[in-house]
Amino acid sequence: MVNIILRSIASIIVSVLVSATISAQGVTKVSGKVFDGETGEALAFVNVIFKGTSVGTATDLDGYFEIESRFVSDSLCANFLGFEEACIFIKQEDRTRNIDIRLQKKQLQLKNVTVVAKRGRYSKKNNPAVDLMRKVIENKKDNRLEGNEFYSFDQHEKIQIDLNNITEQFKDRKVFNSFDVLWKYLDTSTVNGKVFLPIFLREVKSKVHYRKSPQSRKEYQNAIKLTKFDEEMDDKSINDVIEFLYKDIDIYDNTIPLLDHSFISPISPLAINFYRFYILDTTDVNGVSSTRLGFIPKNKSNFGFTGDLYVSNDEDHTVTRADFGIIGDIHLNFINDIMVRQDFEPLDDGAYVLTKDEVVVDYSISKNGIGFYGTRSLGYDNFSFKEAEDPGVYSGIEKIIKSDDAFDFNEDWWDDNRIIGLTDTQDDLYEMIDTLTSMPAYKRLITGVRILTSGYVPFPKFDVGPLPTFYSFNQVEGSRLRIGGETNLNFNKNLLIDGYLAYGTRDKALKFKSGLTYSFNKDWKRNPRHFLRLIYQNDVTFPGQDLQFIQQDNVLLSLRRGATNNMLLDRELRLQYTKETPGFAFDIVFADKNRRPYGDLVLGFTEANGEPSFLREIETTTLGFNLELAPNKQFIQGRQYRRPIINEYPIWTLRYEASIKDFFGSNFGYHKLELGFFKRFNLSILGHTNIGIEATKIWGDLPYTELFIPPANQSFAYQRESFNMMNFLEFVSDQQIFLRAEHYFKGFIFNRLPLIKKLKLREVATFKMVYGSLSDSNDPNQDPSIPRFDLDEQGRSLTYLFTDGAYMEGSVGITNIFKVLRLDLVKRFSYLDNPNVPELFGTKGLGIRARIKVEF
């Protein structure tokens, strides 16, 4: 996900990270414990701060604290209710120091009543904090907004991204000599005194409608405004990324989704066993007398929050304020801190509504290097608890509905319709971006970033690429040399022309592809897509290789195991019409395809007179359609592929294809049907599971290369959608069912191992199976007049039926190795006696596969 942020938010961020990382020199680190001066007992939740700054932290349950910063003073002070403040002098030359602080109790009588849970061994029994939290949980259905039959309100969201940790040494780097104009827009944080540079701002003005029964909550995004560094970036993709990173935080939900992880809410029914709660004091929150409770996960490595919850001192036990973040032991990549602040105030009718809603995320690639602040602020207005005049606002499957003209509103409209006004810094940001994007030095920088992130070298109207495909290798073609590219938006906003030429040094054959796409949108990058595309190609492919987000001639896939000498040469004319709407996609496809065995693949059969013969080509003319129902689906728009952002909503697919014999020269007739289902299941502290199921069937007689061939992988890179221990063309069927399950534990096991948990590793387990059957009319073992399965050098068949049950394989893996690497130990469980089954350490069907995977 980090790569997604860097590309989608602002290209300049990439260059900053590549060119400059601040070293740890000048960083002061202080750690230690805070104790009760009389009893010697460790004190939890003590505020420890550098005097005169906002740089600080709080002690954990064992009284331990650790602060690491460049922005410090010469005194470190500890404050805790009921105790005198204690300050320790820190010498300026000290870089790392361990200290203990002892606090003395105050002798003054406090005005507010303070109830403190007994320190020492934590117990839920007879604990007033736990008893109070049970009442909060019992009443949450009535206290949350969703307890009303209806509600609606106006919402204004601002998300600002700032580059932080900017020092004089950073500004003096040569790479920024041409960007001095940036420094006049620097600002200083009121939170911790750090200097930052605003670089991105998104605003959304929405209307939210809710109905309790049948339940429906819709957010209508009427206007969206965002800064943009590169005209080629797709506004909707940037918008989808931002919405993925900054989802609504509802303290009343059982789990809170944040940065692709699920956090246990402090008022979830599971919270009593997940968190430790402490009553700290009573206070006034926006005119409401409230009890302040501190909470922290029992296991500090679990995905939970720590902070304060304020509960009204009445029989309703309503949350009046939530102020929380994360602790340092949590295994989040590239995240230094998360801070959430929500205030709830009663309206005249007594209903509590959000009046302040702010999330701050502190990102960084290295611990003490350049990083980012991402701040999300929301303002609310015009609350109503009546049913909408138009009941149609509750209809449909989409949760967020974007207006077609959402990006078209000018600054005058925004000035009149903002709920939260712009700060001076935010107002200047739009001016800064306009200035920056007009600079020649910045345009050169963007060119380099485009090459780095897309693999294409840009020219005025035509871009050359993708670079990773210019050279690859396989056993049939030998060294494969390729050159290609596509037009860009400067050529034509509605018309895209693309293609390539490829040549194999071993087969000495030229291959090619050409494509023409006409978009009915304002430009061909815009989503949802609506286009007509014509393709003509003549190229080779591996049967049974299913690659969704990488091309098969990518140089990274050239190293493969086993024999890879059976290929097909496809000559295809394809016409496709695609129409997408939110949550639904529809394709109509016409294809005329000629397929020929290539390499060592031979399609031999026996004539009616008993003479051997060979099928030299397969000609099919097909017409089909694809349907996809994907509520609330979001994408990352890349140069060649769109990567879906996986969320909790299901995805249903239906594909149908038919060929009529003798129609347009087709020498085979058939019908093909495929049904698919995919869904992510969030399992709270246990992580999440991705489940995919596909069922397919063919009616008609076809050569086995045109039937269902399970997706196989013979590279050493782990492929999620393929069978990593299966060989190309190993199995075939004309009806089959495919199941894929992948569970991410998110450190649930490793976080409980004392030494292992420091490595911040995470666990993953997968299981895949496919089972099918082949009708007698398509089985060469039953009918010698149809092409028989190919043989290896020992005369053994290379293709098999599912005669002994399902093919199955599974894996256990470790992710987050050095934050970017996933390693899987993969085991094949069935059909181990087939030829060419890979083995490792003398065990058949065993292998190690790797995958680059960057995640939070």
Side-chain angles (χ1 to χ4, degrees):
M1 291 305 302
V2 174
N3 289 338
I4 293 173
I5 300 172
L6 300 180
R7 173 58 182 161
S8 302
I9 294 179
S11 297
I12 190 176
I13 297 176
V14 179
S15 64
V16 170
L17 294 175
V18 172
S19 63
T21 301
I22 302 300
S23 67
Q25 185 176 1
V27 175
T28 297
K29 181 177 180 179
V30 182
S31 61
K33 281 191 172 184
V34 180
F35 298 93
D36 185 321
E38 293 182 10
T39 65
E41 186 178 16
L43 298 176
F45 301 105
V46 178
N47 293 319
V48 182
I49 191 170
F50 281 103
K51 192 172 184 178
T53 76
S54 296
V55 178
T57 187
T59 60
D60 63 16
L61 293 175
D62 300 318
Y64 179 78
F65 69 89
E66 181 178 301
I67 306 178
E68 188 172 357
S69 178
R70 292 186 194 83
F71 308 95
V72 300
S73 64
D74 59 3
S75 296
L76 187 70
C77 299
N79 296 277
F80 194 55
L81 187 68
F83 290 82
E84 300 284 352
E85 181 182 65
C87 294
I88 303 294
F89 178 71
I90 304 294
K91 294 181 181 180
Q92 291 297 320
E93 62 267 20
D94 284 351
R95 291 300 180 199
T96 302
R97 188 175 179 188
N98 187 277
I99 61 175
D100 289 338
I101 303 176
R102 298 185 179 277
L103 300 182
Q104 303 299 322
K105 289 184 178 178
K106 288 183 178 179
Q107 300 302 315
L108 299 176
Q109 182 69 35
L110 297 176
K111 292 183 179 180
N112 284 336
V113 176
T114 301
V115 183
V116 181
K118 183 178 179 181
R119 303 293 181 188
R121 183 176 177 82
Y122 179 85
S123 174
K124 293 185 295 182
K125 188 176 182 181
N126 299 322
N127 185 333
V130 172
D131 294 339
L132 178 57
M133 284 307 304
R134 293 189 193 277
K135 295 177 182 177
V136 174
I137 295 170
E138 288 173 3
N139 289 321
K140 75 174 188 174
K141 287 185 178 179
D142 297 326
N143 290 333
R144 67 186 307 177
L145 267 181
E146 282 70 15
N148 296 278
E149 292 297 323
F150 300 95
Y151 69 70
S152 65
F153 56 82
D154 293 333
Q155 177 178 288
H156 178 208
E157 176 196 56
K158 291 194 305 183
I159 294 179
Q160 179 175 328
I161 307 294
D162 307 317
L163 190 68
N164 64 26
N165 279 355
I166 296 176
T167 64
E168 290 300 321
Q169 296 92 333
F170 175 77
K171 289 160 51 177
D172 290 340
R173 290 175 178 265
K174 290 182 180 181
V175 70
F176 297 115
N177 287 348
S178 301
F179 298 96
D180 289 342
V181 67
L182 294 177
W183 310 135
K184 76 174 185 177
Y185 296 99
L186 292 175
D187 205 344
T188 303
S189 172
T190 58
V191 176
N192 57 18
K194 291 185 179 182
V195 176
F196 67 89
L197 177 69
I199 55 175
F200 176 82
L201 179 65
R202 184 192 83 149
E203 297 183 82
V204 180
K205 186 71 188 303
S206 305
K207 185 75 174 183
V208 176
H209 293 276
Y210 172 80
R211 180 184 63 194
K212 188 174 184 178
S213 181
Q215 191 176 71
S216 173
R217 187 184 190 276
K218 306 291 184 182
E219 177 186 343
Y220 288 87
Q221 294 185 346
N222 300 314
I224 303 173
K225 181 179 176 65
L226 50 82
T227 54
K228 195 168 182 180
F229 284 90
D230 187 353
E231 286 302 317
E232 291 201 8
M233 289 185 180
D234 175 58
D235 288 339
K236 188 178 184 304
S237 286
I238 298 174
N239 203 57
D240 286 350
V241 172
I242 294 298
E243 287 175 359
F244 170 78
L245 294 178
Y246 290 92
K247 295 182 180 179
D248 290 337
I249 292 180
D250 188 346
I251 196 72
Y252 285 100
D253 282 342
N254 293 333
T255 57
I256 296 175
L258 192 61
L259 300 173
D260 204 27
H261 293 280
S262 293
F263 292 77
I264 299 295
S265 169
I267 54 177
S268 162
L270 299 175
I272 299 300
N273 294 317
F274 186 83
Y275 290 102
R276 296 183 180 185
F277 292 95
Y278 300 89
I279 292 180
L280 301 179
D281 59 14
T282 59
T283 188
D284 183 274
V285 178
N286 298 319
V288 179
S289 175
S290 304
T291 297
R292 174 186 168 212
L293 298 101
F295 61 92
I296 192 169
K298 293 181 178 179
N299 184 329
K300 292 181 289 184
S301 297
N302 283 340
F303 281 94
F305 298 111
T306 182
D308 297 334
L309 205 63
Y310 298 77
V311 179
S312 63
N313 291 322
D314 55 28
E315 61 183 11
D316 294 329
H317 305 292
T318 303
V319 175
T320 58
R321 174 176 293 167
D323 194 352
F324 55 89
I326 61 172
I327 53 180
D329 289 17
I330 199 170
H331 291 179
L332 272 177
N333 293 327
F334 316 111
I335 304 297
N336 291 329
D337 202 1
I338 298 175
M339 294 164 282
V340 180
R341 176 71 177 272
Q342 294 184 328
D343 278 8
F344 301 81
E345 295 184 35
L347 299 176
D348 293 339
D349 61 1
Y352 277 77
V353 297
L354 268 171
T355 56
K356 182 173 184 178
D357 191 356
E358 187 172 85
V359 180
V360 181
V361 182
D362 186 358
Y363 306 90
S364 70
I365 300 301
S366 61
K367 189 171 184 179
N368 295 302
I370 287 295
F372 315 99
Y373 283 131
T375 303
R376 182 189 194 227
S377 304
L378 294 112
Y380 307 94
D381 200 5
N382 296 327
F383 281 92
S384 172
F385 297 92
K386 298 179 180 179
E387 183 177 5
E389 294 182 2
D390 178 13
V393 300
Y394 306 113
S395 302
I397 58 177
E398 292 294 295
K399 301 293 184 182
I400 299 176
I401 299 94
K402 297 176 179 63
S403 172
D404 291 338
D405 60 351
F407 293 94
D408 298 337
F409 290 88
N410 59 30
E411 187 55 43
D412 290 338
W413 185 94
W414 279 99
D415 288 341
D416 295 336
N417 289 276
R418 287 186 176 99
I419 296 175
I420 313 172
L422 292 182
T423 65
D424 291 340
T425 299
Q426 292 167 343
D427 208 15
D428 290 341
L429 178 56
Y430 291 113
E431 175 189 331
M432 184 194 79
I433 300 303
D434 290 340
T435 302
L436 184 65
T437 53
S438 64
M439 297 170 58
Y442 177 76
K443 293 178 180 179
R444 291 192 297 269
L445 175 65
I446 285 295
T447 298
V449 171
R450 286 181 189 169
I451 296 173
L452 179 66
T453 58
S454 71
Y456 280 82
V457 180
F459 289 92
K461 295 182 182 295
F462 188 86
D463 297 345
V464 176
L467 298 180
T469 64
F470 280 13
Y471 175 82
S472 60
F473 178 86
N474 62 70
Q475 291 181 353
V476 176
E477 295 178 282
S479 292
R480 176 182 167 103
L481 308 177
R482 170 174 152 168
I483 183 71
E486 63 184 26
T487 58
N488 54 44
L489 292 177
N490 294 327
F491 174 79
N492 191 292
K493 292 186 179 298
N494 297 102
L495 190 64
L496 168 68
I497 303 173
D498 63 294
Y500 64 78
L501 292 173
Y503 180 78
T505 59
R506 181 173 296 171
D507 65 354
K508 302 187 184 306
L510 186 69
K511 297 91 178 176
F512 61 86
K513 175 184 176 182
S514 58
L516 183 67
T517 303
Y518 179 81
S519 174
F520 298 97
N521 292 332
K522 291 183 179 179
D523 63 69
W524 47 263
K525 282 183 174 289
R526 188 175 294 262
N527 288 300
R529 299 183 303 182
H530 185 199
F531 64 82
L532 185 67
R533 179 163 172 76
L534 179 66
I535 299 174
Y536 184 68
Q537 67 175 359
N538 184 69
D539 205 351
V540 294
T541 183
F542 287 106
Q545 184 172 50
D546 182 23
L547 300 177
Q548 293 186 327
F549 304 118
I550 191 171
Q551 295 182 334
Q552 72 170 17
D553 56 358
N554 189 294
V555 66
L556 299 177
L557 299 182
S558 293
L559 185 62
R560 295 180 173 94
R561 60 174 176 82
T564 56
N565 51 359
N566 288 337
M567 303 185 79
L568 292 167
L569 178 63
D570 290 344
R571 187 179 72 246
E572 179 181 18
L573 176 67
R574 181 184 182 92
L575 180 63
Q576 175 179 337
Y577 172 77
T578 295
K579 171 67 175 176
E580 295 178 345
T581 59
F584 183 76
F586 175 65
D587 295 328
I588 299 177
V589 180
F590 170 83
D592 181 65
K593 181 183 291 187
N594 179 282
R595 308 192 84 177
R596 299 182 180 185
Y598 205 69
D600 292 339
L601 182 63
V602 175
L603 297 180
F605 65 95
T606 303
E607 296 276 9
N609 59 9
E611 293 295 323
S613 187
F614 301 94
L615 182 63
R616 304 191 184 280
E617 65 178 14
I618 303 165
E619 187 78 29
T620 56
T621 302
T622 62
L623 184 65
F625 63 84
N626 304 319
L627 302 178
E628 181 183 77
L629 181 63
N632 307 289
K633 190 172 184 179
Q634 297 172 314
F635 297 96
I636 304 302
Q637 179 70 58
R639 185 63 186 253
Q640 294 179 293
Y641 302 102
R642 291 192 309 174
R643 298 175 184 268
I645 300 174
I646 299 177
N647 53 33
E648 67 272 26
Y649 301 103
I651 299 174
W652 299 89
T653 57
L654 169 65
R655 300 183 182 92
Y656 172 77
E657 179 180 291
S659 174
I660 301 175
K661 191 173 182 179
D662 299 326
F663 179 71
F664 275 88
S666 177
N667 51 15
F668 293 95
Y670 66 89
H671 299 271
K672 180 187 295 186
L673 184 66
E674 299 182 30
L675 296 172
F677 169 80
F678 177 86
K679 190 179 187 314
R680 168 172 289 185
F681 296 88
N682 288 311
L683 303 178
S684 188
I685 61 175
L686 295 178
H688 68 255
T689 300
N690 297 331
I691 300 290
I693 302 174
E694 290 183 8
T696 57
K697 182 172 177 59
I698 288 179
W699 293 269
D701 300 336
L702 284 169
Y704 75 95
T705 56
E706 306 306 299
L707 300 176
F708 293 123
I709 301 171
N713 173 33
Q714 288 189 209
S715 76
F716 294 96
Y718 185 86
Q719 295 178 10
R720 295 174 56 194
E721 293 80 14
S722 302
F723 292 97
N724 292 277
M725 292 289 107
M726 185 185 289
N727 297 319
F728 297 147
L729 268 177
E730 186 174 356
F731 292 94
V732 67
S733 65
D734 53 21
Q735 59 181 358
Q736 69 177 25
I737 186 167
F738 168 39
L739 169 67
R740 174 170 63 91
E742 191 171 31
H743 182 76
Y744 292 87
F745 290 90
K746 298 296 184 80
F748 179 78
I749 300 173
F750 288 157
N751 288 349
R752 286 159 172 76
L753 305 178
L755 297 178
I756 298 296
K757 70 178 182 179
K758 294 184 179 295
L759 299 176
K760 298 186 177 181
L761 302 176
R762 300 170 185 168
E763 323 84 344
V764 61
T766 71
F767 176 77
K768 302 173 187 176
M769 63 159 284
V770 59
Y771 179 72
S773 62
L774 190 63
S775 58
D776 289 346
S777 60
N778 284 324
D779 187 352
N781 297 318
Q782 304 294 328
D783 185 353
S785 67
I786 61 177
R788 57 181 173 267
F789 300 145
D790 206 13
L791 306 177
D792 64 9
E793 295 177 353
Q794 286 76 40
R796 298 172 301 182
S797 176
L798 293 175
T799 304
Y800 293 85
L801 308 183
F802 294 100
T803 55
D804 294 325
Y807 171 91
M808 295 179 289
E809 70 177 42
S811 73
V812 290
I814 300 175
T815 70
N816 211 40
I817 302 171
F818 307 118
K819 298 183 181 180
V820 298
L821 182 64
R822 167 178 169 175
L823 285 179
D824 282 75
L825 181 66
V826 189
K827 182 66 174 71
R828 172 173 172 159
F829 301 124
S830 55
Y831 296 95
L832 296 176
D833 293 331
N834 283 6
N836 305 318
V837 172
E839 65 177 68
L840 180 69
F841 307 131
T843 302
K844 296 189 71 172
L846 187 68
I848 295 177
R849 301 292 180 262
R851 176 182 174 89
I852 299 297
K853 180 177 175 59
V854 183
E855 58 186 347
F856 283 118

